[in-house]
Amino acid sequence: LTDKSSNSIVFAPVILAGGSGTRFWPRSRRSRAKQVLVLDGERSMIQQTVDRLKTLANPADVWVLTNELLRDTITGQLPELNVCHILCEPVARNTAPACALAAFLLEPTQPDTVIGIFPSDHVVQNEGRFTEVLQTAIKLAAAGENIVVLGVPPTRAETGYGYIELDEQVQDGSVPVHSVKRFTEKPDREQAEKFLAAGNYEWNSGVFLWSARTLASAIRKHMPEMVAPLEAIAKAYGTPEFESVFAAEYAKCQSISVDYAVLEPASHGDGAKILCVPADFAWNDLGSWAALHEHELAVKAAGSDERQNVVEALGATVIDAQGNYIYAPGKMVALVGVQNLVVVETEDALLITTLENSQRVGEIVKRLTAEKKTDLI
Amino acid sequence: LTDKSSNSIVFAPVILAGGSGTRFWPRSRRSRAKQVLVLDGERSMIQQTVDRLKTLANPADVWVLTNELLRDTITGQLPELNVCHILCEPVARNTAPACALAAFLLEPTQPDTVIGIFPSDHVVQNEGRFTEVLQTAIKLAAAGENIVVLGVPPTRAETGYGYIELDEQVQDGSVPVHSVKRFTEKPDREQAEKFLAAGNYEWNSGVFLWSARTLASAIRKHMPEMVAPLEAIAKAYGTPEFESVFAAEYAKCQSISVDYAVLEPASHGDGAKILCVPADFAWNDLGSWAALHEHELAVKAAGSDERQNVVEALGATVIDAQGNYIYAPGKMVALVGVQNLVVVETEDALLITTLENSQRVGEIVKRLTAEKKTDLI
């Protein structure tokens, strides 16, 4: 499988890049969402996502689902992809319709192709392990009616993620495989602590693999009202009517996550078998400036120092300062006697907060929206 | 005296603008010293200094002593002044030679002119009171051999200022006048606390008034070795040789403050009588970003709010933030959950510190100097 040219399994990554979060304001804006930002190093989140799949899939087999605001940026950032594989959802409908559309597009001509659903805004530290885990996952997904999910070993009682409850181990080896008992969406604190203590729960990474046939079948079974609109869209693909059919039909689909729509019901033993492989490759979904700070320190990024400062700037003079994340490209930054701050400068804005408060940048965007400062959001 | 045109006393303010401090880095640089910065409002410190003297002196009688690095900026900022009255010290020699030069320039033709020495980088809140106090001071200086100093009523046991010990009150009225017993340069903490408790000490504001004759006499008496070089310079003033004589002779003068050179010895009863009038017009020498923050709050400057934030920017979104000083012109600033910070942005630099540490910016400049980052200092 490592040699993709001679691989009998076709693997088609489907990258979900329609999100429009505010967690990285002021760097992220409506037309500059997190997935197209260069948050660490030199490549944007979506470029890193595609890069890390290059040993597993042919670029010609990669699909991207995004929105009109991001289309040009994404097309520009990913010149190696087929532009006809970069689709813009006419309206946001969460992940189930996006995944299902991919299945209905591929199923008619290549039902055995393994579709892998990937968020476009996560980072992975250990890319070798990522490849190894994905190779196992692809093989499992290619074999019969399996749905494969990647579960992240939890490190804290996080209430912002979904959880996967593991059942028995069904396969040994360097990548152990478990069957899945149950999915739980974002739990409360008490529940999250129970899950962490229990030891047989994983975070839901949002990465799923299944053959086009298995996914299409699951949709037909659990989301029957989605089938007609999505099949109409798939049928119009490649024709001059595509855009208008897409716009008219996609809006008819229920807005629902693939977890709720397909995985939850499937986990009740109804249909396909759900398997979980461990995403134990130092995964991080970079949910805040604080998470980015932690990641940059973990990978000892350029600009990080032994006092837990990360300063992305032209230069830095640091005096008695500790644990700060500073982004000010083009500036000489001087820190004196400050701790645990987050300061982020863009051309038009300057955010000054703390690691602890960095999750609250959404409140700023809400205020700016209320004040109709649209050029800042 | 308020109507300067019909005033029989000629008042010649001499503004000392040769300083090159680092306290307002990154805004202050070698060629952009504090006195030419617009720190509050719309006018630079030296412009404010000249503005506030306009009811007391004719612009044609104002002199400025500065240095070559600042000459063009100052000339540009003060178009109302006679450019021949803007002199650039060829080398820095502290305040005594600068004051003495003014005396030797004016004494030959107008010995009765009252010279007022003014720092160029202080602010005053109550300009009406400033004018009233100065009117009294000018009259005192014009009468005989008096040296008049402005003493600031102390509000804390500051160790960074010189102190004036008052003797008996010699004049009543809206501006009380005391004779002076003694000058003490920057005291230690214990001494400063004693001075504050004693009640008859004032801070030395650096503002002195005396007639050209009195000042020249004091210099001849207490600093005789300065006389020949300074008289040579005064003699060359207005001739083509001025610049070269200035360069050659000024360097020969001892580098000493006017306090040490003239006031200290005079206070021992040797010669002129020293009188002190109260600079009780809400004076602030803006010695740090924290002092500027305090001043901006006191005058309720634009950008200040009821939670002690001062944000000089295009706009601000403030959430749970208190006591911060932020300067980021052209930016939308967002503060979330931060306290007592100082953040200052310029085209090429970004300072991030706290009010408490804002006195330490000199350490940054030292480091930048050591690293030969000359464009940043």
Side-chain angles (χ1 to χ4, degrees):
Chain A
L1 189 61
T2 35
D3 179 0
K4 63 203 173 195
S5 59
S6 68
N7 172 20
S8 62
I9 305 173
V10 177
F11 177 49
V14 174
I15 296 170
L16 303 183
S20 63
T22 58
R23 290 155 184 265
F24 285 93
W25 189 89
R27 291 198 62 204
S28 58
R29 304 288 169 96
R30 286 176 304 174
S31 59
R32 221 167 55 200
K34 178 184 161 198
Q35 54 269 34
V36 300
L37 291 181
V38 179
L39 288 175
D40 66 324
E42 312 257 297
R43 303 276 283 168
S44 74
M45 297 291 101
I46 196 170
Q47 286 176 320
Q48 291 187 38
T49 304
V50 170
D51 291 349
R52 113 174 42 97
L53 290 164
K54 279 186 177 159
T55 53
L56 298 160
N58 211 307
D61 290 323
V62 174
W63 293 74
V64 174
L65 275 149
T66 183
N67 60 50
E68 202 53 59
L69 277 169
L70 297 171
R71 184 209 291 264
D72 291 348
T73 307
I74 286 180
T75 307
Q77 288 190 354
L78 300 171
E80 66 271 43
L81 300 197
N82 181 343
V83 287
C84 297
H85 283 192
I86 299 176
L87 303 181
C88 292
E89 296 168 294
V91 286
R93 281 291 179 266
N94 209 328
T95 54
C99 297
L101 177 59
F104 289 133
L105 281 166
L106 293 172
E107 190 204 18
T109 55
Q110 34 178 319
D112 295 322
T113 286
V114 171
I115 293 174
I117 305 294
F118 293 90
S120 54
D121 57 353
H122 296 175
V123 291
V124 155
Q125 273 180 56
N126 187 341
E127 304 224 340
R129 179 64 178 167
F130 172 84
T131 303
E132 190 180 5
V133 169
L134 260 291
Q135 283 168 335
T136 300
I138 292 167
K139 276 182 205 153
L140 290 168
E145 290 211 339
N146 295 324
I147 298 179
V148 186
V149 302
L150 265 65
V152 178
T155 54
R156 61 184 186 274
E158 173 68 51
T159 57
Y161 298 147
Y163 282 74
I164 303 165
E165 185 182 353
L166 301 184
D167 207 347
E168 71 210 51
Q169 182 163 342
V170 297
Q171 192 175 304
D172 260 356
S174 70
V175 180
V177 183
H178 287 79
S179 59
V180 168
K181 200 168 190 171
R182 205 165 54 117
F183 286 84
T184 310
E185 268 300 287
K186 300 175 184 178
D188 60 24
R189 167 69 50 186
E190 198 188 343
Q191 241 187 330
E193 273 163 9
K194 255 189 231 165
F195 292 171
L196 187 67
N200 65 325
Y201 285 81
E202 308 258 26
W203 288 336
N204 184 344
S205 67
V207 176
F208 311 106
L209 296 94
W210 32 36
S211 69
R213 182 191 294 113
T214 301
L215 176 50
S217 304
I219 294 290
R220 285 195 186 95
K221 178 177 262 171
H222 302 296
M223 291 278 120
E225 69 286 1
M226 254 181 220
V227 175
L230 292 172
E231 286 190 336
I233 298 166
K235 204 180 152 203
Y237 180 72
T239 73
E241 289 75 40
F242 178 67
E243 296 282 341
S244 63
V245 175
F246 200 0
E249 299 295 323
Y250 201 70
K252 295 178 186 166
C253 296
Q254 190 185 347
S255 182
I256 185 171
S257 76
V258 72
D259 316 36
Y260 269 124
V262 177
L263 298 170
E264 181 101 33
S267 71
H268 301 144
D270 186 11
K273 183 166 192 184
I274 308 189
L275 302 172
C276 181
V277 294
D280 53 358
F281 34 67
W283 167 95
N284 194 326
D285 73 341
L286 299 186
S288 66
W289 289 113
L292 177 59
H293 176 248
E294 202 181 320
H295 171 70
E296 296 273 73
L297 290 175
V299 302
K300 296 189 194 308
S304 64
D305 68 23
E306 68 291 342
R307 299 196 64 193
Q308 282 76 56
N309 297 295
V310 175
V311 183
E312 296 195 54
L314 259 193
T317 297
V318 179
I319 298 173
D320 293 346
Q322 186 148 354
N324 301 286
Y325 177 84
I326 315 294
Y327 177 84
K331 296 277 158 87
M332 165 70 205
V333 169
L335 302 176
V336 186
V338 287
Q339 289 85 38
N340 307 322
L341 294 183
V342 171
V343 178
V344 177
E345 190 221 23
T346 65
E347 253 182 47
D348 54 0
L350 179 65
L351 167 69
I352 304 170
T353 185
T354 63
L355 291 173
E356 203 186 339
N357 283 285
S358 75
Q359 302 244 5
R360 299 176 65 192
V361 291
E363 296 178 36
I364 299 163
V365 178
K366 260 187 212 158
R367 285 221 197 163
L368 294 172
T369 307
E371 292 164 5
K372 302 207 190 316
K373 293 189 175 148
T374 46
D375 48 330
L376 287 162
I377 55 178
Chain B
L1 188 62
T2 34
D3 180 0
K4 64 204 174 197
S5 58
S6 68
N7 174 20
S8 63
I9 305 172
V10 177
F11 177 49
V14 174
I15 296 169
L16 303 182
S20 64
T22 58
R23 291 155 184 265
F24 286 92
W25 188 90
R27 292 198 61 203
S28 58
R29 305 289 169 93
R30 286 176 305 176
S31 59
R32 221 166 57 199
K34 177 185 162 198
Q35 54 269 35
V36 299
L37 291 182
V38 178
L39 287 175
D40 66 324
E42 311 257 297
R43 303 276 284 167
S44 74
M45 295 293 102
I46 195 170
Q47 285 176 322
Q48 292 186 37
T49 303
V50 170
D51 291 348
R52 107 172 49 95
L53 290 164
K54 278 185 177 160
T55 53
L56 298 159
N58 211 306
D61 290 323
V62 175
W63 294 74
V64 174
L65 275 148
T66 183
N67 60 50
E68 202 53 58
L69 278 168
L70 297 172
R71 183 207 292 264
D72 290 348
T73 306
I74 286 179
T75 307
Q77 289 189 352
L78 300 171
E80 67 272 42
L81 299 197
N82 181 344
V83 289
C84 297
H85 284 193
I86 298 175
L87 302 180
C88 292
E89 296 167 295
V91 286
R93 279 293 179 267
N94 209 328
T95 54
C99 297
L101 177 58
F104 289 133
L105 280 165
L106 293 172
E107 190 204 20
T109 56
Q110 34 178 319
D112 296 322
T113 286
V114 172
I115 294 175
I117 305 294
F118 293 90
S120 54
D121 57 352
H122 296 176
V123 289
V124 156
Q125 275 180 54
N126 188 342
E127 304 225 338
R129 179 64 177 166
F130 172 83
T131 302
E132 189 181 5
V133 169
L134 260 291
Q135 283 168 336
T136 300
I138 292 166
K139 277 181 204 152
L140 290 168
E145 290 210 338
N146 295 324
I147 299 179
V148 186
V149 303
L150 266 63
V152 178
T155 53
R156 59 183 188 274
E158 173 67 52
T159 57
Y161 299 147
Y163 283 73
I164 302 165
E165 186 183 352
L166 301 184
D167 208 346
E168 70 210 52
Q169 183 163 340
V170 296
Q171 193 174 302
D172 261 357
S174 71
V175 181
V177 183
H178 287 80
S179 61
V180 169
K181 199 167 192 173
R182 205 168 52 120
F183 287 84
T184 311
E185 268 300 288
K186 301 177 183 177
D188 60 25
R189 166 70 49 184
E190 199 187 341
Q191 241 187 330
E193 273 163 9
K194 255 190 230 165
F195 292 172
L196 187 67
N200 65 324
Y201 285 81
E202 308 258 26
W203 289 337
N204 185 344
S205 67
V207 176
F208 311 106
L209 295 94
W210 31 35
S211 70
R213 181 191 294 114
T214 302
L215 176 50
S217 303
I219 295 289
R220 287 197 184 93
K221 179 177 258 171
H222 303 296
M223 291 278 121
E225 69 287 358
M226 255 181 215
V227 175
L230 292 172
E231 286 190 335
I233 297 165
K235 204 179 149 199
Y237 179 72
T239 73
E241 289 75 41
F242 178 67
E243 296 283 340
S244 63
V245 175
F246 200 0
E249 299 296 324
Y250 201 70
K252 294 177 186 166
C253 295
Q254 190 185 346
S255 181
I256 185 170
S257 76
V258 73
D259 317 36
Y260 269 123
V262 177
L263 299 170
E264 182 101 37
S267 70
H268 300 143
D270 186 10
K273 183 166 191 183
I274 308 190
L275 302 172
C276 182
V277 294
D280 52 359
F281 34 67
W283 167 95
N284 195 325
D285 73 341
L286 298 187
S288 65
W289 289 113
L292 177 58
H293 177 248
E294 202 181 319
H295 170 70
E296 296 272 74
L297 290 176
V299 301
K300 297 191 193 306
S304 64
D305 68 24
E306 69 291 343
R307 298 195 65 191
Q308 281 74 56
N309 297 295
V310 175
V311 183
E312 296 195 54
L314 259 193
T317 297
V318 179
I319 299 173
D320 293 346
Q322 185 147 356
N324 301 285
Y325 177 84
I326 315 293
Y327 177 84
K331 294 277 158 87
M332 164 71 204
V333 169
L335 303 176
V336 187
V338 289
Q339 289 85 38
N340 306 322
L341 294 183
V342 171
V343 178
V344 177
E345 191 220 23
T346 65
E347 252 182 48
D348 54 0
L350 180 64
L351 166 68
I352 303 169
T353 186
T354 63
L355 290 172
E356 204 186 338
N357 283 285
S358 75
Q359 302 245 4
R360 299 175 65 193
V361 292
E363 295 178 36
I364 299 164
V365 178
K366 261 188 210 156
R367 285 222 197 161
L368 294 172
T369 307
E371 292 164 6
K372 302 206 192 316
K373 293 186 176 151
T374 46
D375 47 330
L376 287 162
I377 55 177

